[in-house]
Amino acid sequence: MRNRIQINKLFQKFIDNRLNEEEFVEFMHFIEKDTSKDHLKELLNNHFDENKMHQNPKKNLTAHQSKMLFQRITNRVNREKVQISKKKKFLKRKQKSQFFKIAASVLIVFGVYYLSSEITLTTAPLTESTIDPNAITLTLDDGSKQLISENGIKKIINDQGNIVGEQIGNELNYSNSVKSDKLIYNELTIPYGKRFDLILSDGTKIKLNAGSYIKYPVRFLKGKNRRVTVKGEAFFDVTTDKQHPFIVNLNEIEVQVLGTQFNISFYPEDKNISTVLIEGSVALYTEKTTQKTKLSPGQKASWDKTKKVININEVDTQVHTAWKDGVLLFKNISFSDIRKKLQRHFNVSIQNEFIQLDNQIYTASFSSDESIENILEYFNEDTPFESRIKNDKIIISKPIVN
């Protein structure tokens, strides 16, 4: 059986309907155990507390809404049954029946909890102190905040009551946004451990990596540059519009494009702000100068935050964009830098007390579905070390010599 952190991740994947066959069996075994009751209760409470914040504090659920909610729960149970029954080699027939009952019972518990608690639900408006730091957050133009569930469906409504955007699952789409004569901004914050997709009003597609933030207009205006502000890491596929250049603000520098694909990385803890061009062309410049540095496909521009200079070099673009396809790809980088990426991807703290390991250089590739424990085990095979979990922190230390 996996440790506490792994079970938490299995629970979230169960909620998001992303468990594979092996994980489903393992999670059902966890639910069966009497010793799991307290942990499961904690997971359920945390899940429902988070989801309560999605509700409109001014409205209670009607009887019709309650009925629809219960129907969604039962539909989910049926989908689980269909998906597993199609894979005849997954479980023996007797085992299947048992696990179906367990899965159904868990989901029905979910439904009962919702129906009993949300009908009379009233909550205070979201504030900085009440927002879950591990939740995707949308900040509207008036400063109000909404939580975004990765598997949810949501309409984004402006102060005139018009629908300006729509969320379906892991994507927020503003391409059918209503016309406006003024710039109205929304902000999207992605915590560590999660990724999210965004489509702007002009059709520009953006993939946001873990620990990222973007501020963007609900609708771009005719005659105005298309301007967004980004922190973290994002992959852009910009819609061509020669009359309206697309500009990405990265604090000290700006990236200007007409229509292209590129990746930017701007994390506060990193020494550089980088831009990697996949296709098309981009120009970089600082706020203090109009002199532009142009990139060609396959090139990376790195802005040194300390020296205030831009360095350009040829790179393997896949190394910088593999994350958007669900791959953790490391090429000739230190374990110290790998730790940073793993912390962002898994939303965990990795403390290394084995300095020699931090200086090791690695080239490696992992699926984003690979567990943090398995990934660390691969590095352990190359350079042995000890690891332990303490208060949701992974601590690495020198190997014990017998």
Side-chain angles (χ1 to χ4, degrees):
M1 180 56 66
R2 304 190 184 200
N3 61 41
R4 188 178 184 84
I5 293 178
Q6 292 173 316
I7 291 297
N8 292 353
K9 293 183 182 298
L10 284 181
F11 175 82
Q12 186 58 52
K13 292 181 74 172
F14 176 74
I15 294 298
D16 296 338
N17 199 24
R18 294 188 295 110
L19 287 177
N20 61 33
E21 299 163 348
E22 181 181 354
E23 291 169 335
F24 178 84
V25 174
E26 187 172 2
F27 187 66
M28 291 302 108
H29 278 310
F30 162 73
I31 292 173
E32 280 186 296
K33 292 179 178 291
D34 289 335
T35 55
S36 300
K37 288 182 178 179
D38 289 340
H39 189 184
L40 181 60
K41 182 178 179 181
E42 178 185 342
L43 290 170
L44 288 169
N45 286 335
N46 291 339
H47 173 70
F48 290 121
D49 286 343
E50 176 183 343
N51 277 273
K52 283 180 183 179
M53 294 183 179
H54 290 273
Q55 305 299 317
N56 188 330
K58 298 179 181 179
K59 295 182 179 180
N60 296 325
L61 291 179
T62 65
H64 174 70
Q65 289 172 323
S66 298
K67 183 178 179 180
M68 293 298 293
L69 180 57
F70 186 78
Q71 186 62 51
R72 286 169 60 189
I73 296 291
T74 55
N75 288 344
R76 172 77 178 276
V77 174
N78 290 333
R79 287 200 304 272
E80 294 280 355
K81 291 182 179 180
V82 170
Q83 288 175 1
I84 299 173
S85 64
K86 287 180 178 179
K87 301 173 181 178
K88 297 181 179 180
K89 295 183 180 180
F90 174 34
L91 295 171
K92 294 179 181 179
R93 187 168 300 175
K94 186 175 180 180
Q95 290 176 308
K96 285 183 181 180
S97 176
Q98 180 184 12
F99 285 128
F100 287 151
K101 290 177 181 178
I102 297 170
S105 66
V106 171
L107 288 170
I108 289 172
V109 169
F110 284 6
V112 170
Y113 194 111
Y114 272 119
L115 294 174
S116 62
S117 64
E118 292 187 349
I119 289 176
T120 58
L121 177 65
T122 57
T123 60
L126 290 179
T127 64
E128 293 296 336
S129 61
T130 61
I131 290 178
D132 181 356
N134 296 316
I136 297 173
T137 306
L138 175 67
T139 303
L140 303 181
D141 188 58
D142 62 3
S144 63
K145 298 180 182 294
Q146 299 181 12
L147 297 186
I148 300 293
S149 172
E150 292 171 279
N151 61 336
I153 298 176
K154 179 191 289 287
K155 304 286 187 183
I156 310 302
I157 301 174
N158 64 14
D159 53 6
Q160 282 82 42
N162 297 316
I163 298 175
V164 297
E166 181 178 13
Q167 178 217 349
I168 299 179
N170 206 49
E171 180 180 273
L172 189 54
N173 191 333
Y174 288 80
S175 61
N176 293 321
S177 180
V178 296
K179 292 184 178 181
S180 176
D181 57 358
K182 64 176 181 178
L183 284 175
I184 298 174
Y185 288 90
N186 281 183
E187 301 171 38
L188 195 59
T189 302
I190 314 301
Y192 289 147
K194 298 185 178 181
R195 300 193 301 273
F196 205 75
D197 295 347
L198 177 66
I199 300 178
L200 301 181
S201 64
D202 65 340
T204 291
K205 298 177 181 179
I206 306 171
K207 290 183 176 293
L208 295 157
N209 205 354
S212 297
Y213 159 93
I214 183 169
K215 181 178 180 180
Y216 53 93
V218 168
R219 187 173 185 85
F220 294 115
L221 301 185
K222 186 176 182 179
K224 301 285 187 179
N225 288 343
R226 297 173 289 167
R227 182 182 293 271
V228 301
T229 298
V230 173
K231 294 179 182 178
E233 185 167 27
F235 179 87
F236 285 80
D237 186 351
V238 178
T239 298
T240 301
D241 183 350
K242 295 182 179 180
Q243 302 301 318
H244 301 89
F246 195 98
I247 299 174
V248 183
N249 177 269
L250 303 171
N251 193 23
E252 296 178 274
I253 67 171
E254 294 191 332
V255 180
Q256 180 177 330
V257 304
L258 294 176
T260 189
Q261 292 184 350
F262 61 99
N263 193 85
I264 60 96
S265 182
F266 169 37
Y267 287 105
E269 63 270 26
D270 289 346
K271 297 178 181 179
N272 299 313
I273 299 174
S274 68
T275 302
V276 176
L277 183 62
I278 312 303
E279 64 178 47
S281 64
V282 299
L284 294 85
Y285 56 94
T286 67
E287 296 177 344
K288 297 181 179 180
T289 178
T290 58
Q291 183 177 355
K292 296 181 179 180
T293 301
K294 292 185 178 181
L295 289 185
S296 299
Q299 289 185 327
K300 172 185 174 182
S302 299
W303 168 257
D304 190 309
K305 296 179 184 178
T306 303
K307 298 179 180 179
K308 308 298 181 183
V309 295
I310 295 178
N311 297 309
I312 298 177
N313 59 299
E314 303 287 335
V315 296
D316 179 354
T317 60
Q318 187 180 11
V319 172
H320 300 274
T321 61
W323 66 267
K324 72 181 180 65
D325 299 316
V327 177
L328 293 170
L329 182 59
F330 311 118
K331 187 173 182 179
N332 296 327
I333 65 173
S334 68
F335 185 77
S336 176
D337 288 333
I338 290 174
R339 276 199 301 121
K340 293 179 184 178
K341 295 179 182 293
L342 293 177
Q343 288 178 135
R344 295 168 187 160
H345 181 80
F346 290 101
N347 191 22
V348 296
S349 174
I350 306 176
Q351 178 181 324
N352 183 29
E353 299 173 350
F354 185 20
I355 305 302
Q356 177 184 338
L357 180 63
D358 262 352
N359 297 325
Q360 294 287 86
I361 303 298
Y362 291 101
T363 293
S365 176
F366 305 96
S367 165
S368 61
D369 290 334
E370 192 90 45
S371 70
I372 180 65
E373 290 80 8
N374 286 347
I375 290 176
L376 289 178
E377 186 58 34
Y378 286 120
F379 291 107
N380 198 341
E381 291 176 3
D382 177 81
T383 304
F385 57 82
E386 299 293 325
S387 64
R388 67 186 189 276
I389 297 176
K390 182 179 180 181
N391 298 326
D392 294 333
K393 176 188 293 185
I394 298 175
I395 301 175
I396 296 174
S397 56
K398 286 185 177 181
I400 299 174
V401 180
N402 296 326

